[in-house]
Amino acid sequence: MNFEFLLIFLFHICTCVIGSELDYDGYLQLQLFHALNDDPVPNYTERGNITVTSIRTGASTIGQMGLQESQKQDLIKLAENNSKYRMKINVRSSSGSESTFLTSVPACHLLGTELEDILAIWVDGSAQPISITQISPGPCSLSSPPTNMWTTNVEVRHPDGGPTPDTASYIYKIEREKEARERGETKDNRSFIAKYWMYILPAVIFVVLSSAANPDAAGGGGGQRQ
Ligand SMILES: *[C@@H]1O[C@H](CO)[C@@H](O)[C@H](O)[C@H]1NC(C)=O
Ligand SMILES: *[C@@H]1O[C@H](CO)[C@@H](O)[C@H](O)[C@H]1NC(C)=O
Ligand SMILES: *[C@@H]1O[C@H](CO)[C@@H](O)[C@H](O)[C@H]1NC(C)=O
Ligand SMILES: *[C@@H]1O[C@H](CO)[C@@H](O)[C@H](O)[C@H]1NC(C)=O
């Protein structure tokens, strides 16, 4: 193992232990609930599901139920009362953690945009959601929207200005691709282990070390994240 290799190896031990999901990407599963009543206690009913399939790119699939006619009337009544449309969002991340977020917008803004809204999901450096905000810029309107269906845009935002580039593994990848081109093969057909040993090995070492250090928790899952 030459020096460059050792550096890359150590780099990956660090990133594995920290468990930064932005290096590997990850997904988020969102369950949306909304309240169309004006009482202090919101009566949440199901609105739909969103799966952010890639936190890095923000790609997502959206499945929402349309508003029933009575719900549309409730929304208009909320708007007439200058009240807020409230949402509750349960999020499950690819690391298995679950959290709940609350957000609200003036109901008349949703009528003004004809049920179009933006869901901004803020994630921290380890791709955990830290805030979810529904945004509906308006204008304010009290007229019944011509549609029953939501038009939702999902945006994943990184407060620290975006993920930092994974320079070492990028250089490594470019090197390997160059070698592959020189050998005349364009497709990387190595086995899974051959391709990802630098990710798997530190994880295995970490699990072994942590179960040695803490025999009680040996076998308890998780591994990369404490
Ligand atoms: C509108 O506001 C009034 C006064 O706060 C309240 O009594 C009424 O129930 C509200 N209407 C709806 C539809 O919630
Ligand atoms: C909550 O909303 C559902 C669906 O609109 C309704 O059936 C139920 O009676 C409501 N519950 C309360 C406490 O208002
Ligand atoms: C959302 O997901 C839940 C649980 O997986 C499921 O029961 C429900 O039918 C889904 N709703 C929609 C609108 O797809
Ligand atoms: C990968 O493919 C090349 C030719 O396409 C072949 O020569 C080589 O043996 C293959 N390697 C493995 C590990 O299958």
Side-chain angles (χ1 to χ4, degrees):
M1 193 183 281
N2 64 30
F3 181 65
E4 186 197 355
F5 237 56
L6 189 66
L7 264 186
I8 291 166
F9 178 76
L10 289 175
F11 175 83
H12 282 294
I13 287 186
C14 294
T15 53
C16 270
V17 170
I18 294 164
S20 169
E21 280 180 59
L22 290 186
D23 288 342
Y24 321 106
D25 212 354
Y27 64 84
L28 297 174
Q29 286 174 324
L30 281 67
Q31 264 187 300
L32 312 183
F33 300 88
H34 57 184
L36 295 161
N37 63 335
D38 202 8
D39 306 325
V41 179
N43 179 15
Y44 287 115
T45 54
E46 193 188 354
R47 170 168 153 174
N49 300 321
I50 293 177
T51 303
V52 178
T53 50
S54 164
I55 292 174
R56 223 193 297 230
T57 66
S60 52
T61 56
I62 303 176
Q64 302 194 89
M65 298 186 289
L67 282 183
Q68 288 154 13
E69 201 48 46
S70 66
Q71 293 180 311
K72 226 165 147 176
Q73 294 311 316
D74 289 342
L75 187 61
I76 292 168
K77 275 188 231 151
L78 275 185
E80 283 168 354
N81 252 9
N82 200 19
S83 297
K84 300 282 193 297
Y85 166 91
R86 291 170 286 185
M87 274 181 88
K88 180 176 83 167
I89 301 147
N90 291 341
V91 191
R92 205 183 146 81
S93 73
S94 39
S95 68
S97 66
E98 292 186 37
S99 42
T100 299
F101 297 93
L102 304 174
T103 178
S104 65
V105 292
C108 69
H109 282 199
L110 292 172
L111 299 181
T113 56
E114 299 179 354
L115 303 186
E116 183 166 342
D117 60 358
I118 299 165
L119 221 51
I121 304 167
W122 297 84
V123 298
D124 66 10
S126 60
Q128 295 303 306
I130 47 178
S131 171
I132 299 183
T133 310
Q134 185 194 22
I135 302 164
S136 184
C140 198
S141 162
L142 298 181
S143 55
S144 180
T147 172
N148 286 329
M149 210 8 129
W150 299 101
T151 306
T152 300
N153 302 290
V154 177
E155 291 177 5
V156 177
R157 297 187 184 176
H158 309 270
D160 57 3
T164 50
D166 187 357
T167 317
S169 63
Y170 180 69
I171 291 170
Y172 178 79
K173 184 167 161 269
I174 295 291
E175 294 274 330
R176 293 298 89 86
E177 282 176 358
K178 204 171 84 194
E179 279 176 24
R181 269 200 303 280
E182 279 161 7
R183 284 200 305 269
E185 48 182 79
T186 49
K187 204 167 148 35
D188 188 355
N189 58 352
R190 290 170 300 157
S191 75
F192 180 81
I193 298 278
K195 268 192 251 182
Y196 298 113
W197 67 269
M198 76 289 279
Y199 293 100
I200 297 165
L201 189 59
V204 170
I205 291 172
F206 181 68
V207 168
V208 169
L209 286 181
S210 58
S211 51
N214 186 5
D216 290 342
Q224 294 184 18
R225 181 177 296 279
Q226 50 272 53

